Amino acid sequence: MARPQKEATLTAEQIERMASIGCTDEEIAVLAGLDDTTLQKSFSALLKKGRANLRDRLRTAQVRKA
């Protein structure tokens, strides 16, 4: 019998937002009340999307500064 899945204390939008401001998986997992492995398995698409957003904003800021 498998263990019951823990529910995250953060919403999907909050997890994506935290990834988009540069929080690590470990930091997000602690705040969400999840193990970092569980976070990565359950929210990998949101983490990737948030980090892509971060890279886009950083790249845009670099171009404007140049």
Side-chain angles (χ1 to χ4, degrees), residues 27-43:
E27 292 168 333
I28 298 169
V30 168
L31 293 171
L34 300 171
D35 183 68
D36 53 335
T37 304
T38 304
L39 175 78
Q40 292 166 359
K41 287 180 181 177
S42 301
F43 298 98

Side-chain angles (χ1 to χ4, degrees), residues 11-30:
T11 65
E13 292 80 20
Q14 289 171 318
I15 291 172
E16 182 181 338
R17 174 76 177 128
M18 291 181 74
S20 76
I21 61 172
C23 294
T24 65
D25 288 352
E26 185 178 345
E27 292 168 333
I28 298 169
V30 168

Side-chain angles (χ1 to χ4, degrees), residues 28-64:
I28 298 169
V30 168
L31 293 171
L34 300 171
D35 183 68
D36 53 335
T37 304
T38 304
L39 175 78
Q40 292 166 359
K41 287 180 181 177
S42 301
F43 298 98
S44 64
L46 292 172
L47 294 169
K48 286 179 185 178
K49 184 177 177 184
R51 295 210 170 98
N53 188 332
L54 172 63
R55 286 189 301 274
D56 179 55
R57 287 193 332 256
L58 287 173
R59 193 173 296 118
T60 300
Q62 286 176 324
V63 169
R64 286 185 185 149

